[in-house]
Short mmCIF file of all heavy atoms in Angstrom, two decimals:
data_model
loop_
_atom_site.label_atom_id
_atom_site.label_comp_id
_atom_site.label_asym_id
_atom_site.label_seq_id
_atom_site.Cartn_x
_atom_site.Cartn_y
_atom_site.Cartn_z
N ILE G 223 22.35 -4.01 -2.23
CA ILE G 223 22.81 -5.04 -3.16
C ILE G 223 24.00 -5.60 -2.58
O ILE G 223 25.06 -5.01 -2.26
CB ILE G 223 23.11 -4.39 -4.58
CG1 ILE G 223 21.84 -3.82 -5.24
CG2 ILE G 223 23.69 -5.47 -5.42
CD1 ILE G 223 22.08 -3.19 -6.53
N ILE G 224 23.90 -6.94 -2.16
CA ILE G 224 24.92 -7.66 -1.43
C ILE G 224 25.74 -8.58 -2.32
O ILE G 224 25.17 -9.27 -3.15
CB ILE G 224 24.26 -8.45 -0.29
CG1 ILE G 224 23.50 -7.48 0.68
CG2 ILE G 224 25.25 -9.26 0.48
CD1 ILE G 224 22.64 -8.26 1.68
N THR G 225 27.07 -8.48 -2.24
CA THR G 225 27.92 -9.26 -3.04
C THR G 225 28.89 -10.11 -2.09
O THR G 225 29.19 -9.66 -0.97
CB THR G 225 28.75 -8.44 -3.98
OG1 THR G 225 29.53 -7.55 -3.14
CG2 THR G 225 27.89 -7.64 -4.89
N PRO G 226 29.27 -11.24 -2.55
CA PRO G 226 30.24 -12.02 -1.74
C PRO G 226 31.61 -11.35 -1.75
O PRO G 226 32.07 -10.84 -2.79
CB PRO G 226 30.33 -13.35 -2.41
CG PRO G 226 29.10 -13.44 -3.28
CD PRO G 226 28.85 -12.04 -3.70
N GLN G 227 32.32 -11.38 -0.61
CA GLN G 227 33.66 -10.80 -0.55
C GLN G 227 34.75 -11.67 -1.36
O GLN G 227 35.65 -11.09 -1.90
CB GLN G 227 34.15 -10.70 0.86
CG GLN G 227 33.45 -9.64 1.75
CD GLN G 227 33.89 -9.71 3.15
OE1 GLN G 227 34.61 -10.58 3.66
NE2 GLN G 227 33.47 -8.63 3.90
N HIS G 228 34.44 -12.98 -1.46
CA HIS G 228 35.42 -13.82 -2.11
C HIS G 228 34.92 -14.33 -3.46
O HIS G 228 33.71 -14.63 -3.64
CB HIS G 228 35.73 -15.03 -1.14
CG HIS G 228 36.25 -14.60 0.19
ND1 HIS G 228 35.33 -14.41 1.29
CD2 HIS G 228 37.38 -14.33 0.64
CE1 HIS G 228 36.01 -14.03 2.35
NE2 HIS G 228 37.34 -13.95 1.96
N ARG G 269 26.32 -13.58 -7.92
CA ARG G 269 27.23 -12.71 -7.20
C ARG G 269 26.40 -11.58 -6.58
O ARG G 269 26.96 -10.61 -5.99
CB ARG G 269 28.21 -12.04 -8.15
CG ARG G 269 29.15 -13.08 -8.80
CD ARG G 269 30.23 -13.56 -7.78
NE ARG G 269 31.02 -12.51 -7.20
CZ ARG G 269 31.83 -12.68 -6.18
NH1 ARG G 269 31.93 -13.80 -5.64
NH2 ARG G 269 32.56 -11.66 -5.73
N GLU G 279 22.41 0.99 -0.53
CA GLU G 279 23.87 0.73 -0.44
C GLU G 279 24.26 -0.63 -0.93
O GLU G 279 23.46 -1.55 -1.15
CB GLU G 279 24.31 0.78 1.02
CG GLU G 279 23.67 -0.23 1.97
CD GLU G 279 24.13 -0.13 3.44
OE1 GLU G 279 25.15 0.59 3.69
OE2 GLU G 279 23.53 -0.85 4.21
N GLN G 280 25.49 -0.67 -1.38
CA GLN G 280 26.03 -1.96 -1.85
C GLN G 280 27.14 -2.33 -0.90
O GLN G 280 28.01 -1.61 -0.49
CB GLN G 280 26.56 -1.80 -3.24
CG GLN G 280 27.14 -3.10 -3.81
CD GLN G 280 27.16 -3.14 -5.36
OE1 GLN G 280 26.34 -2.40 -6.00
NE2 GLN G 280 28.03 -3.92 -6.02
N ILE G 281 26.97 -3.64 -0.44
CA ILE G 281 27.96 -4.08 0.58
C ILE G 281 28.48 -5.50 0.22
O ILE G 281 27.82 -6.23 -0.57
CB ILE G 281 27.33 -4.20 1.97
CG1 ILE G 281 26.16 -5.18 1.98
CG2 ILE G 281 26.85 -2.77 2.45
CD1 ILE G 281 25.58 -5.45 3.41
N ALA G 282 29.63 -5.88 0.74
CA ALA G 282 30.13 -7.21 0.51
C ALA G 282 30.13 -8.00 1.83
O ALA G 282 30.36 -7.43 2.91
CB ALA G 282 31.60 -7.08 0.06
N VAL G 283 29.87 -9.26 1.75
CA VAL G 283 29.76 -10.09 2.92
C VAL G 283 30.66 -11.34 2.81
O VAL G 283 30.97 -11.81 1.73
CB VAL G 283 28.28 -10.56 3.14
CG1 VAL G 283 27.39 -9.31 3.42
CG2 VAL G 283 27.71 -11.30 1.96
N PRO G 284 31.04 -11.89 3.95
CA PRO G 284 32.00 -13.05 3.92
C PRO G 284 31.26 -14.33 3.51
O PRO G 284 30.07 -14.36 3.39
CB PRO G 284 32.37 -13.15 5.44
CG PRO G 284 31.29 -12.52 6.17
CD PRO G 284 30.79 -11.41 5.34
N ALA G 287 28.14 -15.64 5.48
CA ALA G 287 26.85 -15.05 5.23
C ALA G 287 26.28 -15.49 4.01
O ALA G 287 25.01 -15.71 3.86
CB ALA G 287 26.99 -13.51 5.17
N VAL G 288 27.08 -15.74 2.97
CA VAL G 288 26.62 -16.29 1.69
C VAL G 288 26.10 -17.68 1.96
O VAL G 288 24.99 -18.04 1.44
CB VAL G 288 27.72 -16.29 0.68
CG1 VAL G 288 27.25 -16.95 -0.68
CG2 VAL G 288 28.18 -14.87 0.36
#
Side-chain angles (χ1 to χ4, degrees):
I223 297 180
I224 299 172
T225 61
Q227 287 178 351
H228 303 91
R269 300 286 301 169
E279 60 181 349
Q280 185 154 333
I281 63 173
V283 296
V288 177

